[in-house]
């Protein structure tokens, strides 16, 4: 194997194993920042040794052993009482760092450690952008540069967010634990929010030249699957997975060969990934079986499932979608949900009904500057054959979006009405 091949292998192994390394090390050190530093040391050791010795048969176990040795050495040299020295000595004796028993012991509780790491990285005491960056770094295995490119930011900005997040965890003494009781629901909501933020940025980029960033969608799906395995009895975990799987199933049909966006009702549905849709349906069934009332992600997944079941746009059950938005609005009384409900009502009862609801939202002023509000109004006006007004709304929507591909699409739609 050539050196470049080995480096690619190390990169792939790191992406898979780094969350496990950091989680295991954080359990020993109780310091997420120190745990990541030690995991990075293990990566450096692999980069130095593997090109000469070859990739080991169990690369994950090799990295874990190297990282654990770093942690044990750190504990030995830390300024602690004699009792602590004896405790670490016993730990080293009980867990042979070179043998398979040690690896088995690591695997016994790695699920618990990963879960603790997820809840620590997504703690609500951290700003949302810091939670996202830290989660992608610790649990997604992404480099700072990869995160910066994904979010169209600078490497230094992302690095500062990650450093501040680690400092906040240390200064606020955020416990490395899974919350229990009443606190679990609120903290789990923060974890799910972070994962869905990552997915959404990949599914419809808020800025830049690309409409889709599939790698971010895959990172979010991977994190969701980990959480689904670790928390199998949490309905909203399955609800989020259902939503992401069904939405991701459309990825191959959402752009043309030139990378230009294709709207939902114009997509070639034969290009939708039916296996992903089926995974989504299975997760949705699981979510609905665990709770009598749908949560916010499960309700959104049920809406996505309506689209997935329709083999043609004409078969879409818009009345059911409108009813589901009524349900979602009770759970999430936000202006964006109101806008989506207005669109569904317009499809179910006619564009005049939808336009009335959208104009009420405009009058409230809560979505001022939101480009999709004007795009939705333009759609309704277009259906009512009020083409001059539709053109004006498409132009306004185009001026407000920060995504270049979306701006081009909205501009094109406005120009389509120039001659009408």
């Amino acid at each position: 194997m050539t050196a470049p091949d080995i480096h690619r292998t190390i990169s792939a192994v790191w992406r898979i194993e780094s969350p496990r390394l950091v989680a295991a090390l954080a359990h020993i050190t109780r310091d997420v920042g120190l745990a990541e530093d030690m995991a990075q040391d293990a990566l450096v050791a692999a980069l130095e040794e593997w090109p000469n010795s070859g990739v080991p048969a169990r690369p994950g176990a090799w990295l874990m052993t190297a990282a654990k040795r770093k942690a044990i050495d750190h504990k030995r040299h830390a300024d602690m009482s004699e009792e602590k020295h004896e405790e670490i000595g016993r730990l080293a004796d009980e867990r042979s760092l070179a043998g398979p028993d040690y690896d088995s012991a690591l695997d016994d509780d790695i699920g618990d450690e990963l879960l603790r790491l997820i809840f620590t990285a997504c703690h609500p005491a951290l700003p949302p952008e810091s939670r996202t960056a830290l989660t992608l770094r610790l649990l997604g295995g992404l480099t700072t540069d990869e995160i910066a490119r994904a979010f169209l930011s600078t490497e230094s900005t992302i690095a500062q967010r990650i450093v501040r997040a680690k400092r906040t965890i240390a200064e606020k003494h955020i416990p490395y634990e899974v919350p229990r009781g009443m606190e679990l629901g609120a903290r789990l909501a923060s974890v799910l929010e972070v994962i869905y933020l990552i997915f959404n940025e990949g599914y419809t980029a808020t800025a830049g030249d690309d409409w889709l960033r599939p790698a971010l969608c895959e990172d979010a799906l991977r994190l969701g699957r980990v959480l689904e395995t670790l928390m199998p009895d949490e309905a909203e975990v399955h609800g989020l997975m259902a939503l992401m799987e069904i939405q991701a199933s459309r990825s191959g049909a959402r752009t043309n060969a030139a990378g230009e966006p294709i709207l939902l009702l114009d997509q070639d549905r034969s290009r939708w990934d039916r296996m992903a849709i089926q995974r989504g349906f299975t997760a949705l069934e699981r979510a609905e079986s665990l709770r009598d009332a749908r949560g916010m992600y499960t309700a959104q997944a049920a809406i996505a499932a309506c689209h997935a079941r329709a083999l043609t746009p004409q078969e879409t059950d818009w009345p059911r979608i409108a009813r589901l938005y009524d349900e979602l609005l009770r759970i999430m009384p936000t202006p964006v949900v109101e806008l989506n409900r207005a669109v569904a009502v317009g499809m179910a009862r006619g564009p005049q009904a939808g336009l009335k609801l959208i104009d009420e939202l405009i009058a409230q002023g809560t979505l001022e500057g939101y480009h999709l509000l004007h795009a939705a109004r333009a759609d309704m006006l277009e259906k009512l054959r009020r083409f001059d007004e539709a053109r004006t709304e498409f132009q306004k929507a185009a001026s407000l979006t920060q995504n270049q591909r979306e701006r081009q699409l909205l501009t094109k739609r406005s120009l389509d009405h120039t001659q009408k």
Side-chain angles (χ1 to χ4, degrees), residues 108 184 207 216 287 324 337:
D108 285 344
L184 178 62
L216 277 180
L324 285 166
V337 174

Side-chain angles (χ1 to χ4, degrees), residues 86-122:
E86 293 173 1
E87 178 185 342
I88 295 303
R90 287 196 300 273
L91 176 64
D93 291 339
E94 290 169 5
R95 296 185 178 180
S96 170
L97 298 182
D101 290 343
Y102 174 71
D103 295 327
S104 299
L106 288 175
D107 290 339
D108 285 344
D109 61 0
I110 196 64
D112 292 339
E113 305 311 334
L114 274 174
L115 199 55
R116 291 187 183 103
L117 183 61
I118 289 171
F119 275 93
T120 301
C122 298

Side-chain angles (χ1 to χ4, degrees), residues 243-264:
L243 177 57
M244 293 193 298
E245 290 280 16
I246 294 171
Q247 287 184 318
S249 73
R250 308 174 196 150
S251 295
R254 294 186 70 231
T255 56
N256 61 20
E260 297 167 337
I262 301 175
L263 299 177
L264 176 62

Side-chain angles (χ1 to χ4, degrees), residues 392-408:
T392 300
E393 290 295 322
F394 278 129
Q395 288 170 343
K396 188 163 188 178
S399 72
L400 291 171
T401 182
Q402 297 182 53
N403 185 280
Q404 181 62 25
R405 294 289 190 181
E406 192 171 30
R407 183 180 300 115
Q408 291 170 351

